[in-house]
C-alpha cells in the first residue's frame, strides 16, 4: 500500500473492524438515543461498501445513504431536509421518515421509515459536514486521493454518467473547500488488498487510540 502524505500519517495500532463495532456501541448517544456515525470521503472512495461491512459487524445497523437525500438540483444543498426529516426526529427519539431520491426518474420515491437504533451509519459525501457533526458520535474518513476516487467512480458508473461526473467534480471540490470533513475525522479508513485498516484520524478521538487485542486477530478486514 502506498505511503500516505505526511499530514495524513497516523500513530497507533490499526483497529480491527470488530473492535471498532464494539467501541461504537459503547459511545454515548449523540442524537437522542442514537449513536450517529458518519462515513465520509470523496465520491468513489468506497464509502458504501465499507459502511455495509461495518453495519454487518454491528449486527445489521441501519445505513442512511446520502445519495437518497441529495438530488440533481441539490448535490450538496440538502442540509435542511436531512436535519428536518432525519436528524430532528431521531434526536426526539422518534422514527425518521424521508423520501429517497430516484436518480433515474429524477423524483422522490415512496417514504421510508428509519426507527431509532443504537447505532445508525450515515454514509456519503458530506456526512461529516459542519451542520451534522454536532450530532455525530464518530466520524470516519475514507482515505483515498480524490483523483483516484473519482477515477474509480467514473469507471464504476460508465460513460452514461459522464455528464453527471463533469458537474459533480467541481461541486465536490467547492463543498470540501468550504466545509471540509477530513480534519474532524476521529478515524481514517484505508482500503488495502485484503480488506481495510482503520487508524486514528486527525481528530484523534478516544476510539481511535484503541489497540488490537489478541482475540481480534489481524487488523485488516479480510
Amino acid at each position: 500500500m502506498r505511503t500516505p502524505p505526511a499530514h495524513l500519517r497516523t500513530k497507533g495500532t490499526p483497529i480491527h473492524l470488530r473492535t471498532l463495532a464494539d467501541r461504537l456501541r459503547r459511545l454515548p448517544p449523540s442524537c437522542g438515543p442514537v449513536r450517529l456515525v458518519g462515513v465520509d470521503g470523496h465520491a468513489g472512495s468506497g464509502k458504501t461498501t465499507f459502511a455495509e461491512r461495518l453495519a454487518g459487524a454491528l449486527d445489521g445497523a441501519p445505513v442512511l445513504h446520502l445519495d437518497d437525500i441529495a438530488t440533481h438540483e441539490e448535490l450538496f444543498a440538502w442540509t435542511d431536509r436531512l436535519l428536518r426529516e432525519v436528524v430532528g426526529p431521531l434526536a426526539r427519539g422518534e422514527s425518521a421518515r424521508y423520501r429517497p431520491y430516484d436518480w433515474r426518474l429524477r423524483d422522490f420515491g415512496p417514504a421510508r421509515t428509519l426507527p431509532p437504533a443504537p447505532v445508525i451509519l450515515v454514509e456519503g459525501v458530506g456526512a461529516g459536514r459542519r451542520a451534522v457533526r454536532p450530532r455525530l458520535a464518530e466520524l470516519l474518513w475514507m482515505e483515498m486521493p480524490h483523483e483516484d476516487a473519482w477515477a474509480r467512480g467514473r469507471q464504476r458508473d460508465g460513460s452514461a454518467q459522464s455528464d453527471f461526473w463533469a458537474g459533480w467534480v467541481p461541486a465536490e471540490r467547492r463543498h470540501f473547500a468550504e466545509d471540509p470533513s477530513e480534519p474532524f475525522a476521529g478515524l481514517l479508513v484505508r482500503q488495502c488488498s485484503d480488506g481495510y485498516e482503520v487508524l486514528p484520524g486527525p481528530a484523534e478521538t478516544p476510539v481511535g487510540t484503541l489497540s488490537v487485542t489478541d482475540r481480534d486477530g489481524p487488523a485488516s478486514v479480510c
Side-chain angles (χ1 to χ4, degrees):
M1 184 172 58
R2 183 171 55 188
T3 301
H7 73 286
L8 293 181
R9 294 175 192 166
T10 57
K11 298 178 180 179
T13 306
I15 304 167
H16 192 281
L17 193 66
R18 290 193 296 272
T19 300
L20 173 60
D22 289 343
R23 298 307 177 178
L24 291 177
R25 292 188 186 98
R26 297 174 190 172
L27 290 174
S30 59
C31 186
V34 177
R35 296 154 187 83
L36 281 185
V37 175
V39 180
D40 205 338
H42 298 290
S45 60
K47 298 178 299 299
T48 301
T49 300
F50 176 76
E52 291 172 352
R53 296 288 296 273
L54 180 55
L58 287 162
D59 301 320
V63 181
L64 174 68
H65 303 284
L66 291 180
D67 282 352
D68 290 339
I69 304 297
T71 71
H72 281 92
E73 292 73 29
E74 297 176 321
L75 293 178
F76 291 99
W78 39 258
T79 303
D80 289 344
R81 187 164 61 255
L82 178 69
L83 296 177
R84 181 179 64 254
E85 298 180 1
V86 178
V87 175
L90 292 177
R92 298 190 296 271
E94 303 168 359
S95 292
R97 283 180 60 83
Y98 65 97
R99 295 177 61 196
Y101 185 69
D102 188 317
W103 290 85
R104 183 177 61 85
L105 298 178
R106 291 177 172 260
D107 197 3
F108 291 98
R112 289 181 184 170
T113 300
L114 179 63
V119 180
I120 294 179
L121 305 180
V122 181
E123 74 84 15
V125 181
R129 60 173 39 190
R130 186 181 302 112
V132 178
R133 283 198 299 271
R135 291 295 189 178
L136 294 181
E138 182 59 280
L139 174 60
L140 288 74
W141 176 265
M142 302 296 297
E143 188 184 79
M144 177 178 288
H146 60 267
E147 293 293 350
D148 292 350
W150 294 338
R152 190 166 75 169
R154 286 189 177 101
Q155 183 178 21
R156 175 196 63 199
D157 293 344
S159 59
Q161 296 296 324
S162 58
D163 289 344
F164 172 81
W165 275 95
W168 173 269
V169 168
E172 185 184 304
R173 287 186 188 275
R174 287 193 299 271
H175 167 70
F176 281 131
E178 298 169 359
D179 192 355
S181 298
E182 183 181 9
F184 302 95
L187 298 170
L188 298 178
V189 181
R190 298 175 184 165
Q191 189 168 6
C192 49
S193 59
D194 57 352
Y196 300 92
E197 287 183 339
V198 183
L199 296 166
E204 296 185 356
T205 61
V207 173
T209 64
L210 294 174
S211 298
V212 177
T213 61
D214 291 340
R215 63 184 174 81
D216 287 323
S220 58
V221 183
C222 302

